[in-house]
Amino acid sequence: MFKNYYLKIIFIHMLGIFPNHILAKNAIESARVWPAREYTRVTLESTKPISNDQMILKNPDRLVIDLHDIDLNDDLKNLSTKILSSDPNIKQIRVAKFNNQVSRVVIELRSESKINIFSLKPAGGYKHRLVIDVYPRVDELMAFVQDKEKKDPTPPKKEIVLTPPEIKKEKISQEVPSPSQTTKSLTKKIVIAIDAGHGGEDSGARGASGSLEKNITLSIARKLKKEIDNDEQLRAVLTRDDDYFVPLHVRVVKARKLKADLFVSIHADAFTNPEAKGSSVFALSERGATSASAKYLANKENESDLIGGVSLDDKDPMLAKTLLDLSQSATINDSVKLGNFVLDQLGEINDLHKNNVEQAGFAVLKSPDIPSILVETAFISNPKEEQILNNEEHQEVLAKNILIGIKKYLSSNPNIAKNF
């Protein structure tokens, strides 16, 4: 009886009636696409690691990925429907069964592209992921910076009056020093890199009402950029300008390539206790600086780089390390000064979690010659602070007060950064 039962199952399968997904070794449980001007990310998520092969073909430019032992289910089939006509990097995606063991994904590119494919182990609620990043050959952000400066008309400034009762002392200081007082002879604008924390697959902390840190940080970063660009002596650049992921070390590399003079990373804190509240500001710790220096010197790509305007490629290794350490120490001191000015301004509009600038080894703070701070605007895990973090007017007030702190720092450091 049992023998006949199993023979019947095999026979049904041969007829194609038996559901394929029951016999498949692995299956795609989620397929996501994150389009952005800078790059487009495609993520395939499954319960087990995804075995795959890839090849790049021309005329037209396309990437072919063969997924081994993956069932062609609806989640994988629907990947083709998730490509927007506005996607700047991917024209379309086709998915089909190549043979009994392989499902083939063909990504047709809009132009010749740089491709980065890698796997991620389960983390933060995600399962195994195969990640495909499609970068345009031209770095749009760098192209923007190299363009001739264009003066944007400055809209008339208006006073913002806030009504939500949860917002503490919503006011903007009238004593805003202008960099023009100390930088009239400057020949170029002061460049401030604004880093919106998290993005794309990395949603950051989640509030009790479902708010995502990545969305709040991007909104505040955009408002801060607008405020900065309204000042004729300043220019702001964003490390990400949309909902996509940027690796932490790449954020620092971008800031250095863009010749940024200051780096401000925007975040929204979280803690297991929903009563935790207040704003914080972080600078790099000495321990974090030591590990960063070692990695920097070990990176051959940095041999001809400049630290504080000094080339390291022709220096004795010990001298290069000494110069780097001196630069990093001076940068940390400047970062703490910048952080104190910003923290004071945040105290005007919100409770402070700590009354002093804290120091830690955050990866985004590890530039050796750019004063860098990380601003925890408030606790998204605190229901009241989550509410005000989502308030557009409060976000504007945050941006304005962060800028006031930056300007006060600039006024106290007329010879900042790059010897303009």
Short mmCIF file of all heavy atoms in Angstrom, two decimals, residues 348-389:
data_model
loop_
_atom_site.label_atom_id
_atom_site.label_comp_id
_atom_site.label_asym_id
_atom_site.label_seq_id
_atom_site.Cartn_x
_atom_site.Cartn_y
_atom_site.Cartn_z
N GLU A 348 17.52 74.69 23.70
CA GLU A 348 16.55 75.77 23.62
C GLU A 348 15.17 75.27 23.19
O GLU A 348 14.16 75.92 23.42
CB GLU A 348 17.02 76.83 22.62
CG GLU A 348 18.25 77.61 23.05
CD GLU A 348 17.95 78.52 24.22
OE1 GLU A 348 16.88 79.15 24.23
OE2 GLU A 348 18.79 78.58 25.15
N ILE A 349 15.13 74.09 22.55
CA ILE A 349 13.86 73.62 22.00
C ILE A 349 13.45 72.24 22.50
O ILE A 349 12.36 71.76 22.19
CB ILE A 349 13.90 73.60 20.45
CG1 ILE A 349 14.97 72.63 19.95
CG2 ILE A 349 14.12 74.99 19.91
CD1 ILE A 349 14.93 72.36 18.47
N ASN A 350 14.31 71.58 23.25
CA ASN A 350 13.99 70.23 23.69
C ASN A 350 14.75 69.92 24.98
O ASN A 350 15.73 70.60 25.31
CB ASN A 350 14.39 69.21 22.61
CG ASN A 350 13.73 67.85 22.84
OD1 ASN A 350 12.71 67.75 23.50
ND2 ASN A 350 14.33 66.81 22.28
N ASP A 351 14.29 68.91 25.71
CA ASP A 351 15.07 68.42 26.84
C ASP A 351 16.37 67.84 26.31
O ASP A 351 16.43 67.37 25.17
CB ASP A 351 14.30 67.33 27.58
CG ASP A 351 13.04 67.86 28.26
OD1 ASP A 351 13.11 68.94 28.85
OD2 ASP A 351 11.99 67.19 28.17
N LEU A 352 17.40 67.84 27.13
CA LEU A 352 18.67 67.22 26.77
C LEU A 352 18.82 65.90 27.52
O LEU A 352 18.60 65.83 28.73
CB LEU A 352 19.84 68.14 27.09
CG LEU A 352 19.91 69.45 26.31
CD1 LEU A 352 21.14 70.25 26.72
CD2 LEU A 352 19.92 69.20 24.80
N HIS A 353 19.21 64.87 26.79
CA HIS A 353 19.44 63.58 27.43
C HIS A 353 20.70 63.63 28.28
O HIS A 353 20.76 63.03 29.35
CB HIS A 353 19.56 62.49 26.37
CG HIS A 353 19.61 61.10 26.93
ND1 HIS A 353 18.57 60.54 27.64
CD2 HIS A 353 20.59 60.15 26.89
CE1 HIS A 353 18.90 59.32 28.02
NE2 HIS A 353 20.12 59.07 27.58
N LYS A 354 21.71 64.32 27.78
CA LYS A 354 22.94 64.58 28.52
C LYS A 354 23.31 66.05 28.29
O LYS A 354 23.12 66.58 27.19
CB LYS A 354 24.08 63.68 28.02
CG LYS A 354 23.90 62.20 28.36
CD LYS A 354 24.17 61.93 29.82
CE LYS A 354 24.01 60.44 30.14
NZ LYS A 354 25.04 59.60 29.51
N ASN A 355 23.86 66.68 29.31
CA ASN A 355 24.17 68.11 29.21
C ASN A 355 25.52 68.38 28.59
O ASN A 355 25.94 69.54 28.50
CB ASN A 355 24.10 68.75 30.60
CG ASN A 355 22.68 68.80 31.14
OD1 ASN A 355 21.74 69.07 30.39
ND2 ASN A 355 22.52 68.54 32.43
N ASN A 356 26.22 67.35 28.20
CA ASN A 356 27.53 67.53 27.59
C ASN A 356 27.63 66.67 26.33
O ASN A 356 26.86 65.72 26.14
CB ASN A 356 28.64 67.13 28.56
CG ASN A 356 28.49 65.68 29.03
OD1 ASN A 356 27.62 65.40 29.85
ND2 ASN A 356 29.32 64.78 28.51
N VAL A 357 28.57 67.02 25.47
CA VAL A 357 28.80 66.25 24.25
C VAL A 357 29.40 64.90 24.64
O VAL A 357 30.40 64.83 25.35
CB VAL A 357 29.75 66.99 23.29
CG1 VAL A 357 30.10 66.12 22.09
CG2 VAL A 357 29.10 68.28 22.81
N GLU A 358 28.76 63.83 24.18
CA GLU A 358 29.27 62.49 24.44
C GLU A 358 30.23 62.08 23.33
O GLU A 358 30.20 62.63 22.23
CB GLU A 358 28.11 61.50 24.55
CG GLU A 358 27.12 61.86 25.65
CD GLU A 358 25.92 60.94 25.68
OE1 GLU A 358 26.08 59.80 26.16
OE2 GLU A 358 24.85 61.35 25.21
N GLN A 359 31.09 61.09 23.63
CA GLN A 359 32.05 60.62 22.63
C GLN A 359 31.95 59.11 22.49
O GLN A 359 31.86 58.38 23.48
CB GLN A 359 33.47 61.05 23.03
CG GLN A 359 33.66 62.56 22.93
CD GLN A 359 35.08 62.99 23.25
OE1 GLN A 359 35.34 63.52 24.33
NE2 GLN A 359 35.99 62.79 22.31
N ALA A 360 31.96 58.65 21.24
CA ALA A 360 31.84 57.22 20.94
C ALA A 360 32.54 56.94 19.61
O ALA A 360 32.98 57.86 18.91
CB ALA A 360 30.37 56.82 20.88
N GLY A 361 32.63 55.66 19.27
CA GLY A 361 33.35 55.27 18.06
C GLY A 361 32.49 55.10 16.85
O GLY A 361 32.72 54.20 16.04
N PHE A 362 31.47 55.95 16.68
CA PHE A 362 30.59 55.84 15.51
C PHE A 362 31.40 55.93 14.21
O PHE A 362 32.24 56.83 14.04
CB PHE A 362 29.54 56.95 15.52
CG PHE A 362 28.50 56.79 16.60
CD1 PHE A 362 28.34 57.77 17.57
CD2 PHE A 362 27.69 55.67 16.65
CE1 PHE A 362 27.38 57.63 18.57
CE2 PHE A 362 26.73 55.52 17.64
CZ PHE A 362 26.58 56.51 18.60
N ALA A 363 31.11 55.02 13.28
CA ALA A 363 31.87 54.96 12.04
C ALA A 363 31.78 56.24 11.23
O ALA A 363 32.74 56.64 10.57
CB ALA A 363 31.39 53.76 11.20
N VAL A 364 30.62 56.91 11.24
CA VAL A 364 30.45 58.10 10.40
C VAL A 364 31.22 59.31 10.94
O VAL A 364 31.28 60.35 10.28
CB VAL A 364 28.97 58.48 10.25
CG1 VAL A 364 28.23 57.44 9.43
CG2 VAL A 364 28.31 58.68 11.60
N LEU A 365 31.82 59.18 12.12
CA LEU A 365 32.54 60.31 12.72
C LEU A 365 34.05 60.19 12.51
O LEU A 365 34.81 61.01 13.04
CB LEU A 365 32.24 60.40 14.22
CG LEU A 365 30.77 60.58 14.61
CD1 LEU A 365 30.63 60.63 16.13
CD2 LEU A 365 30.18 61.84 13.99
N LYS A 366 34.49 59.21 11.74
CA LYS A 366 35.91 58.86 11.71
C LYS A 366 36.72 59.54 10.62
O LYS A 366 37.80 59.07 10.28
CB LYS A 366 36.06 57.34 11.62
CG LYS A 366 35.60 56.65 12.90
CD LYS A 366 35.85 55.14 12.87
CE LYS A 366 35.44 54.50 14.20
NZ LYS A 366 35.68 53.04 14.21
N SER A 367 36.26 60.63 10.06
CA SER A 367 37.10 61.37 9.12
C SER A 367 38.25 62.01 9.88
O SER A 367 38.04 62.65 10.91
CB SER A 367 36.28 62.45 8.40
OG SER A 367 37.12 63.20 7.56
N PRO A 368 39.50 61.88 9.39
CA PRO A 368 40.64 62.40 10.14
C PRO A 368 40.79 63.91 10.11
O PRO A 368 41.54 64.47 10.91
CB PRO A 368 41.83 61.73 9.45
CG PRO A 368 41.36 61.47 8.06
CD PRO A 368 39.90 61.15 8.18
N ASP A 369 40.10 64.59 9.20
CA ASP A 369 40.32 66.04 9.10
C ASP A 369 39.05 66.84 8.87
O ASP A 369 39.10 67.98 8.42
CB ASP A 369 41.33 66.35 7.99
CG ASP A 369 40.91 65.78 6.64
OD1 ASP A 369 39.95 65.00 6.61
OD2 ASP A 369 41.56 66.10 5.63
N ILE A 370 37.89 66.27 9.17
CA ILE A 370 36.62 67.00 9.06
C ILE A 370 35.92 66.95 10.41
O ILE A 370 35.53 65.88 10.86
CB ILE A 370 35.69 66.38 7.99
CG1 ILE A 370 36.38 66.32 6.62
CG2 ILE A 370 34.40 67.19 7.89
CD1 ILE A 370 35.55 65.61 5.57
N PRO A 371 35.77 68.08 11.09
CA PRO A 371 35.00 68.08 12.34
C PRO A 371 33.63 67.47 12.10
O PRO A 371 32.89 67.89 11.21
CB PRO A 371 34.90 69.57 12.69
CG PRO A 371 36.12 70.17 12.06
CD PRO A 371 36.31 69.41 10.78
N SER A 372 33.30 66.44 12.88
CA SER A 372 32.10 65.64 12.62
C SER A 372 31.32 65.42 13.91
O SER A 372 31.90 65.10 14.95
CB SER A 372 32.48 64.28 12.03
OG SER A 372 33.28 64.43 10.86
N ILE A 373 30.00 65.55 13.81
CA ILE A 373 29.14 65.28 14.96
C ILE A 373 27.95 64.43 14.54
O ILE A 373 27.56 64.43 13.37
CB ILE A 373 28.62 66.58 15.63
CG1 ILE A 373 27.80 67.41 14.64
CG2 ILE A 373 29.76 67.37 16.24
CD1 ILE A 373 27.11 68.62 15.28
N LEU A 374 27.42 63.69 15.50
CA LEU A 374 26.20 62.92 15.29
C LEU A 374 25.14 63.46 16.24
O LEU A 374 25.35 63.50 17.46
CB LEU A 374 26.45 61.43 15.55
CG LEU A 374 25.30 60.46 15.24
CD1 LEU A 374 25.84 59.12 14.76
CD2 LEU A 374 24.41 60.24 16.47
N VAL A 375 24.03 63.90 15.67
CA VAL A 375 22.96 64.53 16.45
C VAL A 375 21.81 63.54 16.63
O VAL A 375 21.20 63.11 15.65
CB VAL A 375 22.45 65.81 15.76
CG1 VAL A 375 21.30 66.42 16.57
CG2 VAL A 375 23.58 66.81 15.59
N GLU A 376 21.56 63.15 17.87
CA GLU A 376 20.36 62.37 18.20
C GLU A 376 19.27 63.39 18.55
O GLU A 376 19.24 63.94 19.63
CB GLU A 376 20.62 61.44 19.38
CG GLU A 376 21.67 60.36 19.12
CD GLU A 376 21.12 59.19 18.30
OE1 GLU A 376 19.98 59.30 17.81
OE2 GLU A 376 21.84 58.18 18.15
N THR A 377 18.41 63.65 17.59
CA THR A 377 17.46 64.76 17.73
C THR A 377 16.49 64.57 18.89
O THR A 377 16.10 65.54 19.55
CB THR A 377 16.66 64.91 16.43
OG1 THR A 377 16.10 63.65 16.06
CG2 THR A 377 17.57 65.41 15.30
N ALA A 378 16.08 63.32 19.14
CA ALA A 378 15.16 62.99 20.24
C ALA A 378 15.00 61.48 20.25
O ALA A 378 15.57 60.77 19.40
CB ALA A 378 13.81 63.69 20.08
N PHE A 379 14.22 60.96 21.19
CA PHE A 379 13.97 59.52 21.28
C PHE A 379 12.71 59.16 20.52
O PHE A 379 11.60 59.48 20.96
CB PHE A 379 13.86 59.08 22.73
CG PHE A 379 15.18 58.84 23.40
CD1 PHE A 379 15.91 59.90 23.90
CD2 PHE A 379 15.71 57.56 23.51
CE1 PHE A 379 17.14 59.70 24.51
CE2 PHE A 379 16.94 57.34 24.12
CZ PHE A 379 17.66 58.41 24.62
N ILE A 380 12.87 58.48 19.40
CA ILE A 380 11.71 58.04 18.63
C ILE A 380 10.93 56.96 19.39
O ILE A 380 9.75 56.71 19.14
CB ILE A 380 12.15 57.51 17.24
CG1 ILE A 380 10.95 57.38 16.30
CG2 ILE A 380 12.90 56.19 17.37
CD1 ILE A 380 11.34 56.99 14.88
N SER A 381 11.59 56.33 20.37
CA SER A 381 10.94 55.30 21.19
C SER A 381 10.08 55.91 22.29
O SER A 381 9.33 55.19 22.96
CB SER A 381 11.99 54.38 21.81
OG SER A 381 12.98 55.13 22.51
N ASN A 382 10.19 57.22 22.49
CA ASN A 382 9.34 57.93 23.45
C ASN A 382 8.11 58.45 22.69
O ASN A 382 8.25 59.24 21.75
CB ASN A 382 10.12 59.09 24.07
CG ASN A 382 9.33 59.86 25.10
OD1 ASN A 382 8.24 60.34 24.82
ND2 ASN A 382 9.89 59.99 26.29
N PRO A 383 6.91 58.01 23.06
CA PRO A 383 5.70 58.40 22.30
C PRO A 383 5.55 59.90 22.09
O PRO A 383 5.18 60.34 21.00
CB PRO A 383 4.56 57.82 23.13
CG PRO A 383 5.16 56.66 23.85
CD PRO A 383 6.57 57.09 24.16
N LYS A 384 5.83 60.70 23.12
CA LYS A 384 5.68 62.15 22.99
C LYS A 384 6.72 62.72 22.03
O LYS A 384 6.41 63.58 21.18
CB LYS A 384 5.79 62.83 24.36
CG LYS A 384 4.61 62.56 25.28
CD LYS A 384 4.74 63.35 26.58
CE LYS A 384 3.53 63.12 27.47
NZ LYS A 384 3.64 63.87 28.75
N GLU A 385 7.96 62.25 22.15
CA GLU A 385 9.00 62.78 21.27
C GLU A 385 8.83 62.24 19.85
O GLU A 385 9.18 62.93 18.88
CB GLU A 385 10.38 62.44 21.83
CG GLU A 385 10.67 63.18 23.12
CD GLU A 385 12.14 63.25 23.47
OE1 GLU A 385 12.92 62.40 23.02
OE2 GLU A 385 12.51 64.18 24.21
N GLU A 386 8.29 61.05 19.71
CA GLU A 386 7.99 60.54 18.37
C GLU A 386 6.98 61.46 17.68
O GLU A 386 7.11 61.76 16.48
CB GLU A 386 7.41 59.12 18.46
CG GLU A 386 7.03 58.55 17.09
CD GLU A 386 6.25 57.25 17.19
OE1 GLU A 386 5.81 56.90 18.30
OE2 GLU A 386 6.06 56.60 16.15
N GLN A 387 6.02 61.93 18.44
CA GLN A 387 5.00 62.82 17.88
C GLN A 387 5.61 64.11 17.37
O GLN A 387 5.31 64.56 16.26
CB GLN A 387 3.93 63.12 18.94
CG GLN A 387 2.82 64.05 18.45
CD GLN A 387 1.82 64.39 19.54
OE1 GLN A 387 1.87 63.84 20.62
NE2 GLN A 387 0.93 65.31 19.24
N ILE A 388 6.46 64.74 18.17
CA ILE A 388 7.02 66.02 17.72
C ILE A 388 8.07 65.83 16.63
O ILE A 388 8.26 66.71 15.79
CB ILE A 388 7.62 66.83 18.90
CG1 ILE A 388 8.81 66.11 19.54
CG2 ILE A 388 6.55 67.14 19.93
CD1 ILE A 388 9.55 66.94 20.55
N LEU A 389 8.73 64.66 16.60
CA LEU A 389 9.68 64.39 15.53
C LEU A 389 8.99 64.31 14.18
O LEU A 389 9.60 64.60 13.15
CB LEU A 389 10.45 63.09 15.79
CG LEU A 389 11.60 63.16 16.80
CD1 LEU A 389 12.14 61.76 17.10
CD2 LEU A 389 12.71 64.06 16.30
#
